[in-house]
Amino acid sequence: MKLNAAYGQLPPAFFFTEIGARVAAYRADHPHEKLLRLGVGDVTGPLSPVVIEALRRAVGEQSRAETFHGYLPETGTDFMKAAVVSYYGRRGVALSPEEIFISSGAADDLGAIGNLFSTDSRVLVAEPAYPAYVDTSRMAGRRVLPLLGTRENGFLPLPGDDLDGDLIYLCSPNNPTGTAYTRLQLQRWVDWANERQAVIVFDAAYEAFVQDGDVPHSIYELPGAETCTVEICSLSKTAGFTGMRLGYTVVPQALTREGCSLHDMWTQDRTTRTNGVSYVIQRAGEAALSPAGLRYNREAIAVYQENGRILADALTKAGLWFTGGRNAPYLWLPCPEGMTGWAFFERLLREAQIVVTPGEGFDAGGAGHVRLSCFGSREDTAEAARRLRTVF
Amino acid sequence: MKLNAAYGQLPPAFFFTEIGARVAAYRADHPHEKLLRLGVGDVTGPLSPVVIEALRRAVGEQSRAETFHGYLPETGTDFMKAAVVSYYGRRGVALSPEEIFISSGAADDLGAIGNLFSTDSRVLVAEPAYPAYVDTSRMAGRRVLPLLGTRENGFLPLPGDDLDGDLIYLCSPNNPTGTAYTRLQLQRWVDWANERQAVIVFDAAYEAFVQDGDVPHSIYELPGAETCTVEICSLSKTAGFTGMRLGYTVVPQALTREGCSLHDMWTQDRTTRTNGVSYVIQRAGEAALSPAGLRYNREAIAVYQENGRILADALTKAGLWFTGGRNAPYLWLPCPEGMTGWAFFERLLREAQIVVTPGEGFDAGGAGHVRLSCFGSREDTAEAARRLRTVF
């Protein structure tokens, strides 16, 4: 019996537990202070009325033998795939339903997409990053080469002529830095991948937050992306579905390597490793991507976008350099005076009763930074902005 | 760029598509004949009233900000884990909530559990079998050694002294053969695994169909199983959840190999590769395992069990040797006169208008057999039994 030795080499997943413990300890000592939570990467809900109505209808169908749904296609129902096709069509991206794979959320597909590649593939990860890209790669025994976001490159690393790798994870708009590649910048990655026969895994989970016209929502808005990119997305932030679990992955039929169709390989992977997503959740997703659902989502997101403006304004007035707050629900800033993210976390907690996320939770290049999130209420965010300006 | 070469070596997943195409062709030529479907491995529903009520309540919670649920623990909510703890407690199996990992169904966990083991582990699979055990092992580059079920061993292979392997997949009650290990038989596997430091992956998806007192529902009813077994189960057949997608995996804290805790490794795997299961679906699962839910499930399963008796009776009266129909919703029989499963499938379709599943879909040892399922209506099953007796 030999276990997968890579697991033992990963750091324990204590990060958010540690934040929770520190916050709880502070709260126990200061029971009357109001804490403002800018650390959370979660939506506050509720779901839109049109989604609730679709859920109720689907539950009703499951209550009667004549309308009951058992096993569904592993890669998604026709109606949910059609909803995603239409969602992409609004931005001029023409996908076929077969190219869309409905999932229980982006995390699940990010956890499995690496299966398609040889374990000796060289994996590039634009960092700091959501830890799953690096962790799942290491769990499979793959070598990870960090591609560092820095203040100099505006936390948007780009490929140089000498950059080499087989697989690259890009997240734009970015968690945790809040940055987003423009069309011109992202085109450089597409061209690089096509030239090198590399594959881009593009995490588009925050696409619904894009406000600037020169920032693409989907990488498929760019010519050539269909021959080099797998795009993974989620309704978590688009439609407040973090607790509902629904996402999708696009693997274009034009994406081939070494004479093999990655689309066919992913079909094989999904039909073998999963039995698809709940009927009622897929009906909820269809409703979330309907015109009425999208209108509601836009209004919900506008609240978070306004929070981003409020926080960005406060940091600007305090004379601080930061990224994000415009095309993504996060702001990212270097800690003052060379502090670690954890030290600055403690300072903001003690001096301003604000909870942020230390950059140390986002792999290479994250240390010495903190992430602020825009998912709080308007009132709490405005109060946090006031307190931030008193700290600086 | 190197892809995972194992994918290209798997047979294309055409099996159920091929059955569908043959049935559609027959139906087009014989539009007025009534087809009886004994090929399906799916429930006919509907969900129980107590589950529907729980779903409606959970949907209502998601419609209001004060009761809205966003991200949940990756390994399952406390309430759903408590429901599973209590479900096992009824049979005298004491699990702790931490040992239970809630999933989107057994297929998803079967697709990922192999991650914990080295790619050069030797995998034994008791066959014929649900194809995912072999396919996911091959996709990871592992060597698969089939352990054949035969008429001689009653399709219940047992370990001999010379049997060697690191990982073994067992499914009891079994899909497709309908057989089930007794306590004494299964204890031999537990003892073998503990002696060799092997690990059993025990698929208990059909446990709710067990009728015989000497057949365990869970492998943890046997002493020593907690130090050698991961048990994977599903509410698909227990509570008619095939279209709802909910299951769970038990990884005992006592299960260690090479000084590592498999429980800790699986926790790390799940928290990295998934963000858990939908809140509303977990509330449905909690209701399905409540006393009222379990009463309803038992009645639904009693219908399928009676179908099993009807089919078993017909085959017995026709003088045919077969397995199953008692502790699982399947019957398995060798085809007459050395026919292939596909040839016998065609004969039953043409002579009796009965759709069965050719054994060729269940890997090694499946060829030359067919599987009959008990998931039809009482009337269709009784009519199928009559037609079977005229064929033989």
Side-chain angles (χ1 to χ4, degrees):
Chain A
M1 166 57 62
K2 276 195 282 185
L3 297 176
N4 181 341
Y7 281 59
Q9 291 153 18
L10 289 173
F14 75 99
F15 184 70
F16 285 97
T17 321
E18 174 69 16
I19 293 178
R22 292 189 184 211
V23 171
Y26 183 82
R27 189 184 278 291
D29 290 344
H30 307 81
H32 303 299
E33 290 182 357
K34 175 168 173 150
L35 290 186
L36 302 174
R37 296 181 172 275
L38 301 185
V40 192
D42 197 359
V43 298
T44 46
L47 297 178
S48 73
V50 65
V51 167
I52 294 293
E53 178 53 33
L55 282 165
R56 292 203 166 116
R57 214 164 33 234
V59 169
E61 289 180 61
Q62 296 297 78
S63 75
R64 294 183 303 277
E66 317 83 66
T67 51
F68 176 79
H69 294 268
Y71 283 123
L72 300 160
E74 293 95 338
T75 63
T77 58
D78 289 345
F79 64 79
M80 185 60 205
K81 291 187 177 199
V84 177
V85 166
S86 148
Y87 186 65
Y88 275 77
R90 289 163 59 250
R91 308 207 188 279
V93 175
L95 299 175
S96 77
E98 297 74 34
E99 294 176 312
I100 294 158
F101 298 77
I102 307 302
S103 73
S104 293
D108 295 58
D109 282 359
L110 284 167
I113 194 76
N115 295 334
L116 306 191
F117 304 94
S118 162
T119 50
D120 54 12
S121 305
R122 296 154 304 166
V123 180
L124 295 165
V125 178
E127 302 212 58
Y130 177 68
Y133 314 144
V134 168
D135 291 351
T136 58
S137 298
R138 290 208 180 121
M139 282 163 146
R142 291 192 189 88
R143 197 150 43 100
V144 176
L145 312 165
L147 189 73
L148 281 189
T150 60
R151 183 158 175 170
E152 288 63 44
N153 62 27
F155 286 95
L156 289 167
L158 288 167
D161 282 342
D162 54 342
L163 185 70
D164 212 1
D166 300 310
L167 203 58
I168 168 137
Y169 286 85
L170 297 176
C171 174
S172 176
N174 190 264
N175 174 21
T177 68
T179 56
Y181 286 110
T182 63
R183 250 164 254 277
L184 279 176
Q185 290 171 323
L186 197 54
Q187 188 71 53
R188 287 183 56 188
W189 276 117
V190 168
D191 295 342
W192 175 86
N194 278 322
E195 274 159 29
R196 311 274 167 150
Q197 291 285 293
V199 170
I200 300 171
V201 175
F202 189 74
D203 183 345
Y206 294 93
E207 61 83 18
F209 290 83
V210 168
Q211 300 190 65
D212 292 339
D214 63 344
V215 171
H217 286 253
S218 162
I219 197 169
Y220 301 119
E221 294 175 38
L222 304 179
E226 71 283 2
T227 56
C228 67
T229 313
V230 170
E231 180 164 298
I232 297 182
C233 200
S234 161
L235 273 73
S236 282
K237 307 298 159 72
T238 307
F241 267 40
T242 52
M244 300 299 282
R245 311 308 315 140
L246 189 64
Y248 53 85
T249 288
V250 181
V251 186
Q253 277 161 333
L255 179 55
T256 61
R257 288 293 180 269
E258 303 187 308
C260 291
S261 157
L262 270 78
H263 176 271
D264 291 352
M265 289 176 74
W266 187 242
T267 303
Q268 191 170 39
D269 189 273
R270 294 295 84 191
T271 54
T272 302
R273 285 188 212 272
T274 164
N275 257 320
V277 179
S278 178
Y279 176 74
V280 299
I281 303 300
Q282 292 195 66
R283 281 292 183 201
E286 179 191 30
L289 297 183
S290 71
L294 291 176
R295 266 196 306 280
Y296 182 95
N297 299 343
R298 266 196 303 276
E299 286 167 28
I301 285 170
V303 174
Y304 304 136
Q305 287 171 330
E306 176 62 17
N307 289 346
R309 273 188 289 277
I310 291 168
L311 292 171
D313 192 47
L315 297 178
T316 304
K317 285 189 177 144
L320 296 173
W321 187 89
F322 65 95
T323 57
R326 178 148 178 84
N327 295 302
Y330 299 116
L331 298 91
W332 177 254
L333 65 158
C335 305
E337 301 144 27
M339 290 172 99
T340 67
W342 280 111
F344 195 43
F345 164 93
E346 288 287 348
R347 181 173 159 202
L348 288 172
L349 181 61
R350 283 163 204 290
E351 293 186 16
Q353 293 75 53
I354 292 174
V355 182
V356 299
T357 309
E360 281 78 0
F362 301 100
D363 257 310
H369 298 78
V370 295
R371 186 191 75 174
L372 311 186
S373 124
C374 305
F375 288 116
S377 70
R378 171 68 47 83
E379 297 66 34
D380 283 3
T381 305
E383 173 61 22
R386 269 189 296 276
R387 293 189 193 173
L388 280 172
R389 287 166 64 185
T390 58
V391 170
F392 299 109
Chain B
M1 165 55 62
K2 275 196 282 181
L3 298 176
N4 181 339
Y7 281 60
Q9 291 152 20
L10 290 173
F14 75 99
F15 184 70
F16 284 98
T17 320
E18 174 70 16
I19 293 178
R22 291 189 185 211
V23 170
Y26 182 83
R27 190 184 277 289
D29 291 343
H30 307 81
H32 303 300
E33 289 182 358
K34 174 167 176 155
L35 290 186
L36 301 174
R37 297 181 172 275
L38 301 185
V40 192
D42 197 0
V43 298
T44 46
L47 297 178
S48 72
V50 65
V51 167
I52 293 293
E53 179 51 34
L55 281 165
R56 291 203 167 117
R57 213 164 35 234
V59 169
E61 289 179 62
Q62 295 298 77
S63 75
R64 293 184 303 277
E66 316 81 66
T67 52
F68 176 79
H69 294 268
Y71 284 122
L72 301 159
E74 294 95 337
T75 64
T77 57
D78 289 346
F79 63 80
M80 185 60 205
K81 291 188 177 200
V84 176
V85 166
S86 150
Y87 187 65
Y88 275 77
R90 290 163 59 250
R91 308 207 189 281
V93 175
L95 299 176
S96 77
E98 297 73 36
E99 295 176 310
I100 294 158
F101 298 78
I102 307 301
S103 73
S104 294
D108 294 58
D109 282 358
L110 284 166
I113 193 75
N115 295 335
L116 305 191
F117 304 94
S118 161
T119 50
D120 54 11
S121 304
R122 297 154 304 166
V123 181
L124 295 164
V125 178
E127 303 213 58
Y130 177 67
Y133 313 145
V134 169
D135 291 351
T136 57
S137 298
R138 289 207 181 123
M139 281 162 147
R142 292 192 188 88
R143 200 148 42 99
V144 177
L145 312 164
L147 188 74
L148 281 188
T150 60
R151 185 157 172 171
E152 288 63 44
N153 62 26
F155 286 94
L156 289 167
L158 288 167
D161 281 342
D162 53 344
L163 185 71
D164 212 2
D166 300 309
L167 202 59
I168 168 138
Y169 287 85
L170 297 176
C171 174
S172 178
N174 190 264
N175 174 20
T177 68
T179 56
Y181 286 109
T182 64
R183 251 165 252 278
L184 279 176
Q185 290 172 323
L186 197 55
Q187 189 70 56
R188 287 184 55 189
W189 276 116
V190 168
D191 295 343
W192 174 86
N194 277 323
E195 276 159 27
R196 312 273 167 150
Q197 291 286 292
V199 170
I200 300 171
V201 176
F202 189 75
D203 183 346
Y206 294 94
E207 61 81 19
F209 289 84
V210 168
Q211 300 190 64
D212 293 339
D214 63 345
V215 171
H217 286 252
S218 162
I219 197 167
Y220 302 118
E221 294 175 40
L222 306 179
E226 72 283 1
T227 56
C228 67
T229 312
V230 170
E231 181 164 296
I232 297 182
C233 199
S234 162
L235 272 73
S236 282
K237 308 299 159 72
T238 307
F241 267 41
T242 52
M244 300 299 282
R245 313 306 316 140
L246 189 63
Y248 53 86
T249 289
V250 181
V251 186
Q253 275 158 335
L255 179 54
T256 60
R257 289 293 180 270
E258 301 186 309
C260 292
S261 157
L262 270 79
H263 176 272
D264 291 352
M265 288 176 74
W266 187 241
T267 303
Q268 192 170 38
D269 188 275
R270 293 296 83 193
T271 54
T272 303
R273 286 187 210 272
T274 163
N275 256 321
V277 179
S278 178
Y279 176 75
V280 298
I281 303 299
Q282 293 195 65
R283 281 291 182 200
E286 178 191 30
L289 298 184
S290 71
L294 291 176
R295 267 197 304 281
Y296 183 94
N297 299 344
R298 267 196 303 276
E299 287 168 30
I301 285 169
V303 174
Y304 304 137
Q305 287 171 329
E306 176 62 17
N307 288 346
R309 274 188 287 277
I310 291 168
L311 291 171
D313 192 48
L315 297 178
T316 304
K317 286 191 174 141
L320 296 173
W321 187 90
F322 65 96
T323 57
R326 179 150 178 83
N327 294 303
Y330 299 116
L331 298 90
W332 178 253
L333 66 159
C335 306
E337 302 144 25
M339 289 171 100
T340 67
W342 280 111
F344 194 45
F345 164 92
E346 287 286 346
R347 182 175 157 198
L348 287 171
L349 182 60
R350 282 162 204 292
E351 293 185 16
Q353 292 76 54
I354 293 174
V355 182
V356 298
T357 308
E360 280 78 0
F362 300 100
D363 258 309
H369 297 78
V370 294
R371 185 191 77 174
L372 311 185
S373 124
C374 305
F375 288 116
S377 70
R378 172 67 48 81
E379 299 67 34
D380 283 2
T381 305
E383 173 60 21
R386 271 189 294 277
R387 292 188 193 174
L388 280 172
R389 288 166 63 186
T390 59
V391 170
F392 299 109

